[in-house]
Every structure is written in C-alpha cells, then in structure tokens.
Amino acid sequence: KIERNQENQDGAIIFSFEYFTPKPGHATVSGFVDTVTAMSRHGPSFCDITWRPRDPYPALTLELAGRMQAEVGVETMMHLTCVGMPVDRIDYALDTARAKGVRNILALRGDLLPGMDSVGASNGDGFTSALDLVKYIRSKHGDYFGITVAGYPEAHPSQIPDGSEEATEEGYESDLAYLKQKVDAGADLIITQLFFDAEVFIKFVKDCRRIGITCPIVPGILPFASFRSFKFMTETCKTKVPKEVRAKVEAARGDDAALAAYGVELATEICRKILKETGVRALHFYTMNKEGPAVGVLRNLGLLGVTQNEKKLEEKVLVGN
Ligand code: FAD
C-alpha cells in the first residue's frame, strides 16, 4: 500500500507506470498483462490502471487490476471515477478491488456528463467531485486503501477560459485550495496532469507547499511516441505547449521515429530539471501502454539499474559464495 509518509527514506528516485484499460478482447488483454509484466522488471514502485466509466470497461479494469496485483505481483493502483455513478456501483468497484487485493485507489471525479454544471452537480444519485469520493472511501474503508488524487499544475481545464491558454490567477488559486481539501480529506499522494514545461511543475509544488499541502506530489510525465498521442493528450488535457516544443513536434511530423526520439529527449530534460530543482524524488510515467518511451527516459536518467528482486538474488548468490 502506498502511504503518505512512505517517501523513500534514502532519497533514491522511484518511478511508476500508468496504463490505460485496453479495449476488451482476448488478444489485447493478454498482451496488456504481458506488457505490464515485462515493464515490472524495471522495478516500478507501483503501476496504475485507468478507469473508463462506461460499460464494458469497468469489469475489465477490475479484472486487470486484480491480475496486475496478484499475477504480475506489482503494487497496483486502480483509478476510479465517481461522477454519474450510483453509490452501489462505487461500492461494487471498491469491494471488488479489495477482494482482489488491490490497496490503492486514484480517486477521481471524471469528466462531466452533459447537463452537469462545472462541479458535477445535478447528476442525481452519487457524487459530484473527487472530494466526495475521497471522503466516502475513508468513511467506508478506513485506512485500508492508500488514496491518490489528481493535481493540475496548469489548473483544471475548467479554470481555463475559452480562447485562452491559461487559467486566471483566481481560477488557479481556487483549484489549489480545492486540491488541499482533497488532501485534508484523506488523500496520501498527488499525481499531476501532464505538462511540457518543468517550470510550471516547479511553481506548482511551491504553491502547494505555500498553502500547506504537505503530501508527496508526483509529476505526471508523458514521453509521447506519436503525433496522434501528442495531439490527443494535449487537446484532451488542454496542455500548454511551449513554442519551441511545438516547433520541434511539427518539424518531426510524419517521421514517427524522430518524434518518439524527441519525446524521450524532452521528457528526460523535464525530469532532470525537476529532480535537480525540487525535493521531488518520484516520477510517474503515462506509458500509453508502451514500454519503449518510459524506459528510454529512465535509461537516460540512469535509473535502470538492477531491480529490487535482482538485487536480492545477487545478495543471495554473493552470500552463498
Ligand atoms: P475534481 O478534483 O473533483 O475536480 C476537478 C476540478 O473541478 C477541480 O480541479 C476544480 O477546478 C473544480 N472543482 C470541483 N469541485 C470544486 C469545489 N468544490 N471547489 C472549487 N473547485 C472545484 N479520467 C478518467 O475518466 N479516467 C481516469 O482513469 C483518469 N485518470 C486520471 C489520472 C490523472 C493523474 C489525472 C490528472 C486525470 C485523470 N483523469 C481520468 C481525468 C479526470 O477525470 C478529469 O480531469 C476530470 O475532469 C476531473 O477529475 P478530478 O478527479 O480532478 O475532479
């Protein structure tokens, strides 16, 4: 279980891998488990799986989260969105995760459905925000689950006025204050939305500390590997793309190998800056279910040493000698 005060004592840099729930179908599902298994050899401190609220995905997410935990043997975090979900379905998801040995939840509101206002009100049954969900998990399950919440270094897209690239100062501050409420309600960890400017994250960490958020804040890193994934993720998340990054992406358009190489180079630079200039010692990779890009960054950072298991084995062999 991932806990608030579990930050690695020796200051070593830890990392985690995020996967999205693949489309149902036998081949993709076994391919998914193979990918997670292969990547688990690099020694992530945890792996997480996203939640897609509409059927048939929830059943598959629950199954895969259970397999990641029990079969692959990685510490698993399951995302769970709550908006528009009746409470009995939330209960089912949490009880099933628990029965499968999953001890970590990324508690999310999820994107609003048509007819809801900016904070999810008027959805009838259920919850309107991640804050509701954090409170509910703590009241129903005590300390069983480690709870993570989403943080937005550029503010949540709802705080970014139409036609603008940035949130207003007021919107940014209200977002931060709300994030603090999620942490105060019982979240152990924050994982951030992706960003392409390390300074944005560095400022966000300072601002969180200024208002009294003390839990670990883990940067969400996307080493994009194709123009499609770059476009999809930046448009969906309303990510600000610095001019020089956009120019390089445009220059590499049509050449996926060059684009992927740039994605790894940029993510490496961002990680280096963050590790140098903040006390942050954890990196979270949006893998897009691919091994190459995240592992490329880890290799550049010199973080692909022997895994914990290999270390133990090595010690055993040495002692045996
Ligand atoms: P909340 O934290 O509840 O709120 C979102 C924003 O609404 C706040 O940042 C704030 O601006 C505003 N707000 C809400 N309530 C208040 C309040 N009381 N006072 C002031 N402001 C308020 N989506 C998926 O569907 N599946 C996933 O698996 C998934 N994984 C994600 C993982 C990460 C790390 C991140 C960053 C996002 C993920 N998302 C996922 C996207 C997420 O569901 C959307 O961004 C969604 O619109 C907001 O969810 P939330 O949990 O941040 O919501």
Side-chain angles (χ1 to χ4, degrees), residues 50-51 53 79 81 106-111 119 129-130 150-152 156 158-159 174-175 178 182 191-193 286:
T50 65
W51 184 262
H79 297 201
T81 66
L106 175 40
L108 296 151
R109 181 192 70 187
D111 286 329
V119 289
S129 68
Y152 299 87
H156 184 267
S158 61
Q159 305 287 5
S174 125
D175 216 41
Y178 170 69
K182 292 199 283 189
I191 295 182
T192 77
Q193 187 56 282
Y286 293 109

Side-chain angles (χ1 to χ4, degrees), residues 16-126:
S16 46
F17 295 138
E18 176 170 323
Y19 303 93
F20 61 82
T21 303
K23 281 200 175 126
H26 189 68
T28 29
V29 170
S30 64
F32 175 89
V33 174
D34 290 347
T35 303
V36 180
T37 304
M39 291 181 72
S40 72
R41 293 193 201 110
H42 301 302
S45 54
F46 65 89
C47 291
D48 53 333
I49 178 161
T50 65
W51 184 262
R52 295 185 181 194
R54 273 164 282 289
D55 285 334
Y57 291 105
L60 183 58
T61 304
L62 286 164
E63 183 204 323
L64 291 176
R67 287 181 67 182
M68 284 163 70
Q69 184 67 53
E71 199 177 306
V72 181
V74 285
E75 188 67 33
T76 297
M77 177 188 294
M78 189 184 81
H79 297 201
L80 178 62
T81 66
C82 63
V83 78
M85 283 247 286
V87 179
D88 58 352
R89 289 196 68 191
I90 302 272
D91 281 336
Y92 178 75
L94 291 170
D95 292 344
T96 308
R98 199 171 165 151
K100 288 176 184 286
V102 173
R103 299 208 60 186
N104 307 286
I105 299 289
L106 175 40
L108 296 151
R109 181 192 70 187
D111 286 329
L112 297 177
L113 303 172
M116 289 178 190
D117 72 13
S118 62
V119 289
S122 87
N123 64 329
D125 195 8

Side-chain angles (χ1 to χ4, degrees), residues 123-138:
N123 64 329
D125 195 8
F127 306 102
T128 60
S129 68
L131 176 62
D132 291 346
L133 184 58
V134 173
K135 286 181 182 162
Y136 185 74
I137 298 173
R138 281 284 174 248

Side-chain angles (χ1 to χ4, degrees), residues 156 163-164 174 207 271 293:
H156 184 267
S164 171
S174 125
D207 291 336
C271 293

Side-chain angles (χ1 to χ4, degrees), residues 155 159-161 166-177 203 207 210:
Q159 305 287 5
I160 302 174
E166 286 178 17
T168 58
E169 196 49 37
E170 198 190 352
Y172 177 78
E173 288 296 330
S174 125
D175 216 41
L176 274 184
K203 175 177 182 305
D207 291 336
R210 165 174 55 80

Side-chain angles (χ1 to χ4, degrees), residues 30 32-33 77 149 171 175 180 190 217 225 243 251 267 292 307:
S30 64
F32 175 89
V33 174
M77 177 188 294
V149 290
D175 216 41
K180 183 165 187 304
I190 296 168
I217 303 171
K243 266 193 204 131
T307 64

